[in-house]
Amino acid sequence: MTTQQSLIRWCLLIVVAITLWMTPTPHSVTALAPLPNAYLWQGLDYGPYRDGQAPGATPPTLGQIQTDMAQLAQKTSIIRIYGVIHRSGPSTTYPTGEWIVQSAAAQGLQVVIQAWIDGNATYNNAEVAEVIRLVNLYPNIVGVVVGSEVLLRYYDGDPNNGGLPIAQLTTLLQTMRSGLPQVGSDPRVPITYADNYPIWTQYGSQLIGLVDFIGLHSYAFWACQPFAQAVTFTINEALALRNNATLQGKRVMILETGWPSAGANPNCPAQTPGSATNQAQFVQYMLTAAHNNQLDLFIFEFSDENWKCNYTGTFECRWGLVGADRTTKSAWAEWRTDTLSLYNPANGQLCYLTSLSSPPNAPTCGIISPPAPGQFVMGDWNADGLKTPGIYGSNGVFYYANTLFPTSWSGIWIGLLGRPAVVGRFDSNFPNDCAGAVDSGNFPPYGLAFAIYFSCDLTNGTAPPLTFQWLSVLLPDSQGFSGTHQFAAGDFNLDSVETIAVRRGAFIAWTNVVPTTLLSQFSLAQYIGAPGSGDAGTFVAGDWDNNWDDSFGLYYQNGTFYRRNDVEWNTGLYTLQAISPPAATGIQVASWRNTPTSGISGEIAGNTSVAAIWIEAEAASVQQSGQWVSQQATHASAGGYLYSTDSGGNELQIEFEGIGITVYYLAFPQAGMFTILIDDTAVRTVVANGDLSEGVHSIRIDYLAPGSHTLQIQPISGTVAIDAFEITP
């Protein structure tokens, strides 16, 4: 890029900033609620018992539990447990619940804790009291379950099978609710009861006022369902509860589901037996289906528990993703997370870590020779699902390749010399990742201002046009921030588009405004602190726990990697990966995700996505205030749209039931700006006349709490044209 081009761009930046100024300083956000709608839980159910151990007999040791938590931290950030007091006899007890919670906290794991409830009132009261005590002590407890299949066991025809009638269960729920620390009129952590679909449909009306979310156990294997329909069966049960009016639209969590790695259900002779391959395929598809339908998910379970082999059949003790000896099965590999890739520019060595274990498994290493020195990044450049190397050269060229250890490279011109590179899936219209760089310049009196220039078109010439987003003044000196600005990109709100994050010193700010929108808004922040030592650390973003939501990490040159599995303000929960110290300093790092290794083919069938509801802007269910005009247009949905040219008092409003909504609007040179509000809270500001191509565009507001919502469109300036709305039930 020439000096003249740079000056022209910065003149444009200043014009944009003055005309459409947005507050540059990110808001300091407090910790999110225990059940934030911004992300989903995807965790594992955990029972601690190994060979020779069982409830009522020999307990696990603290050391064994600590080992398990370290292994679990490789894959997830949250576990669900089943009881808190181990009893080896009437008077011999062990605090296994506290051991688990303590050990989980040391690994950065959150816990959904459970009071085990059966027919013994004394034991039940002790379990409830111990859960209340632990919740008061340990902030990594984020959910409480009072009883598991208690009603199922009572009403299955054998009242002596360790169950309770509904009246006794509700009393225990009331005791738990009143005993937990309160925020306002509600407990600090959400409470539920766990049971299967028929129990919730029959007794849910008596439970719903005492629970904060629906805890569902769903097993296609027990229900004699064909393996090919197993995932669909569980998803459909969860969605049916979500849409059950009696359950008041409360959040549904699949707290148990799975497929065994061995054994056959004797009641289902025509059903596919359990196998390691089927279990791995079930996990792979179930994780994706739950994400696609915005459902929290816990897979049953972490490890085989051989004490259960004496029950119905072999399959009872073969639900684990690892064996009783903690040897991994094929399904363990299907729980895929981002890891790190490490590049040594001094000798060209590139190493890929294949796990987040500490220390990691032996990495896969090789030598690369990029055409020019520069900043190392990783991205999916050809939409094949595999992240491969890229180098933003010191000559302004972005070089990329589509193999892990390339011998040839392609390139496009970016031209911002000496600027930090940022890559990611910035535009939903492209299936591949995009490449860009962050420009900067002094913007008196506010401080150093930033903008990103990027291209997603990697195949149509070496000098594609660049898209621009104004990032504003970020973490400025005037607000007490210091250190080098470091940039990363990630999907922080589960909309499948990556946005920009910046770290400076102990603080991170980020935006959820997609880079194709002219103006960003850095309204989210995290205190990352300084967990490592020796240098300032390298800032990276990735999905470290397979919950589809990216979070942050810091890599230090001494070979330590500290990561957070949350985007809350300051939980203080870090997970440390101790990587062997590199032989040289100056190691560059980027997040990377290993590809599937199981070679699973798609036997599981069925539609595992929710059918959307389409509503035209002109529909009677869309309330109009002020002056709106209906305009016919062949390129609009149903041949027309609504537009407003006066911002004073004009508004569109739509009431809907669902967890997400997409607004379709028209962009053109004379278009203006409008704000989208959900339930009286502004969630997006749209600039329809920026760098957008002329035509219909969309913006999605996702992961709302299930239930009723109100969306409002409020014009700010210019002509605002709204085409349609798409609701996710």
Side-chain angles (χ1 to χ4, degrees):
M1 174 182 293
T2 66
T3 302
Q4 183 179 16
Q5 287 174 314
S6 183
L7 288 173
I8 291 172
R9 284 190 173 177
W10 274 104
C11 288
L12 290 173
L13 288 183
I14 293 171
V15 170
V16 169
I18 294 173
T19 307
L20 300 170
W21 175 251
M22 300 182 73
T23 303
T25 305
H27 302 295
S28 295
V29 296
T30 56
L32 298 177
L35 282 177
N37 293 313
Y39 63 87
L40 299 174
W41 285 345
Q42 288 203 332
L44 284 166
D45 295 314
Y46 174 68
Y49 298 105
R50 301 182 181 222
D51 284 349
Q53 301 170 352
T58 304
T61 67
L62 174 59
Q64 289 171 333
I65 290 171
Q66 290 170 335
T67 299
D68 286 346
M69 294 303 110
Q71 188 171 7
L72 280 158
Q74 299 175 27
K75 294 291 185 179
T76 187
S77 62
I78 189 167
I79 60 171
R80 180 249 182 131
I81 67 173
Y82 288 87
V84 291
I85 301 173
H86 173 91
R87 299 181 183 275
S88 294
S91 60
T92 304
T93 62
Y94 297 85
T96 51
E98 187 162 17
W99 290 351
I100 293 170
V101 174
Q102 284 179 336
S103 303
Q107 294 291 336
L109 294 172
Q110 296 178 318
V111 178
V112 175
I113 197 170
Q114 178 176 306
W116 180 260
I117 303 300
D118 58 21
N120 188 311
T122 301
Y123 290 177
N124 292 344
N125 293 333
E127 285 273 324
V128 169
E130 178 68 354
V131 167
I132 292 171
R133 186 184 75 86
L134 294 176
V135 171
N136 277 284
L137 289 176
Y138 296 99
N140 65 318
I141 297 176
V142 294
V144 171
V145 183
V146 183
S148 176
E149 300 182 3
V150 175
L151 299 180
L152 175 64
R153 295 199 302 273
Y154 184 83
Y155 292 109
D156 69 353
D158 183 4
N160 298 315
N161 193 25
L164 290 179
I166 183 70
Q168 293 183 37
L169 176 62
T170 55
T171 297
L172 289 168
L173 281 164
Q174 290 167 341
T175 301
M176 184 71 80
R177 290 192 74 85
S178 61
L180 290 175
Q182 304 288 304
V183 176
S185 59
D186 294 316
R188 181 182 67 81
V189 296
I191 296 175
T192 194
Y193 164 70
D195 218 317
N196 66 15
Y197 176 80
I199 292 294
W200 275 109
T201 56
Q202 185 171 356
Y203 298 101
S205 61
Q206 300 175 66
L207 295 169
I208 198 62
L210 297 170
V211 301
D212 301 300
F213 62 98
I214 311 300
L216 172 65
H217 291 179
S218 178
Y219 288 97
F221 188 84
W222 280 106
C224 297
Q225 294 294 308
F227 175 69
Q229 297 296 323
V231 169
T232 301
F233 172 84
T234 293
I235 293 295
N236 285 345
E237 285 200 334
L239 295 181
L241 292 181
R242 174 188 283 172
N243 296 322
N244 186 326
T246 302
L247 302 180
Q248 301 175 9
K250 290 191 175 180
R251 187 165 177 167
V252 177
M253 281 194 184
I254 303 171
L255 288 181
E256 279 189 16
T257 191
W259 197 270
S261 61
N265 188 339
N267 298 319
C268 314
Q271 187 184 60
T272 303
S275 70
T277 299
N278 286 345
Q279 183 189 51
Q281 185 180 345
F282 178 88
V283 170
Q284 177 189 5
Y285 280 77
M286 192 71 233
L287 289 167
T288 302
H291 167 259
N292 289 346
N293 290 283
Q294 295 88 53
L295 290 164
D296 301 274
L297 171 69
F298 288 78
I299 293 289
F300 187 84
E301 62 182 324
F302 166 60
S303 66
D304 290 342
E305 295 184 273
N306 286 339
W307 67 271
K308 298 178 181 177
C309 290
N310 296 325
Y311 287 90
T312 307
T314 304
F315 68 87
E316 280 277 33
C317 54
R318 294 294 177 261
W319 294 89
L321 274 58
V322 304
D325 62 356
R326 278 42 181 177
T327 300
T328 61
K329 304 179 188 179
S330 300
W332 186 253
E334 292 308 316
W335 199 289
R336 294 186 294 276
T337 65
D338 287 349
T339 60
L340 292 184
S341 53
L342 299 93
Y343 173 58
N344 184 349
N347 60 12
Q349 185 181 61
L350 174 58
C351 291
Y352 298 99
L353 303 185
T354 57
S355 77
L356 290 172
S357 60
S358 182
N361 301 329
T364 301
C365 298
I367 301 296
I368 63 172
S369 299
Q375 181 183 343
F376 166 72
V377 295
M378 293 288 291
D380 180 5
W381 316 121
N382 63 350
D384 66 351
L386 176 65
K387 283 191 173 184
T388 49
I391 296 287
Y392 184 45
S394 57
N395 56 3
V397 177
F398 177 75
Y399 300 99
Y400 63 95
N402 294 317
T403 59
L404 293 178
F405 300 106
T407 56
S408 61
W409 301 75
S410 302
I412 62 169
W413 173 254
I414 301 292
L416 294 168
L417 303 182
R419 301 306 193 193
V422 184
V423 302
R425 189 165 183 263
F426 298 150
D427 189 339
S428 61
N429 294 312
F430 286 82
N432 56 277
D433 284 348
C434 315
V438 177
D439 202 2
S440 61
N442 190 30
F443 185 36
Y446 301 102
L448 195 64
F450 298 89
I452 182 174
Y453 295 87
F454 67 92
S455 177
C456 306
D457 186 356
L458 305 182
T459 58
N460 293 308
T462 57
L466 301 180
T467 300
F468 154 77
Q469 184 181 45
W470 168 248
L471 302 181
S472 187
V473 178
L474 303 172
L475 304 177
D477 295 350
S478 61
Q479 298 292 326
F481 300 102
S482 62
T484 302
H485 288 81
Q486 297 180 330
F487 293 88
D491 180 2
F492 308 116
N493 65 347
L494 296 167
D495 65 356
S496 299
V497 178
E498 295 182 298
T499 52
I500 307 302
V502 58
R503 176 229 177 180
R504 195 178 189 200
F507 300 90
I508 297 169
W510 72 95
T511 179
N512 284 329
V513 179
V514 298
T516 51
T517 303
L518 176 62
L519 296 177
S520 63
Q521 185 175 10
F522 282 75
S523 57
L524 300 163
Q526 181 176 82
Y527 178 81
I528 191 72
S533 61
D535 63 281
T538 301
F539 179 47
V540 291
D543 179 5
W544 317 120
D545 59 355
N546 197 39
N547 73 342
W548 303 79
D549 193 29
D550 288 335
S551 53
F552 306 112
L554 296 174
Y555 173 82
Y556 292 86
Q557 292 296 312
N558 61 10
T560 55
F561 174 49
Y562 293 85
R563 66 185 188 272
R564 291 272 292 267
N565 288 319
D566 62 81
V567 290
E568 300 179 28
W569 169 240
N570 185 21
T571 62
L573 296 175
Y574 297 96
T575 302
L576 168 64
Q577 183 179 31
I579 305 166
S580 298
T585 59
I587 300 298
Q588 300 185 28
V589 299
S591 61
W592 174 71
R593 173 162 294 204
N594 198 5
T595 53
T597 57
S598 61
I600 292 172
S601 59
E603 179 183 343
I604 292 180
N607 177 18
T608 57
S609 295
V610 186
I613 300 171
W614 188 274
I615 298 176
E616 296 295 332
E618 305 93 319
S621 57
V622 179
Q623 303 173 39
Q624 303 178 25
S625 299
Q627 300 295 317
W628 291 88
V629 179
S630 178
Q631 177 67 47
Q632 293 184 344
T634 57
H635 60 281
S637 172
Y641 60 88
L642 286 179
Y643 74 90
S644 165
T645 57
D646 178 15
S647 59
N650 292 349
E651 182 180 279
L652 295 181
Q653 179 172 305
I654 180 172
E655 310 282 342
F656 67 98
E657 296 270 344
I659 57 172
I661 187 167
T662 301
V663 178
Y664 291 85
Y665 65 95
L666 277 71
F668 47 91
Q670 295 78 31
M673 299 172 61
F674 63 92
T675 296
I676 301 173
L677 295 88
I678 298 288
D679 302 330
D680 295 323
T681 300
V683 295
R684 295 286 193 279
T685 296
V686 178
V687 182
N689 61 354
D691 290 342
L692 301 174
S693 58
E694 189 166 348
V696 177
H697 292 261
S698 65
I699 186 164
R700 181 164 179 76
I701 295 89
D702 221 338
Y703 299 94
L704 304 173
S708 301
H709 298 282
T710 301
L711 177 141
Q712 297 161 282
I713 301 289
Q714 294 181 348
I716 298 174
S717 64
T719 300
V720 173
I722 305 298
D723 186 12
F725 304 94
E726 186 179 16
I727 299 166
T728 302

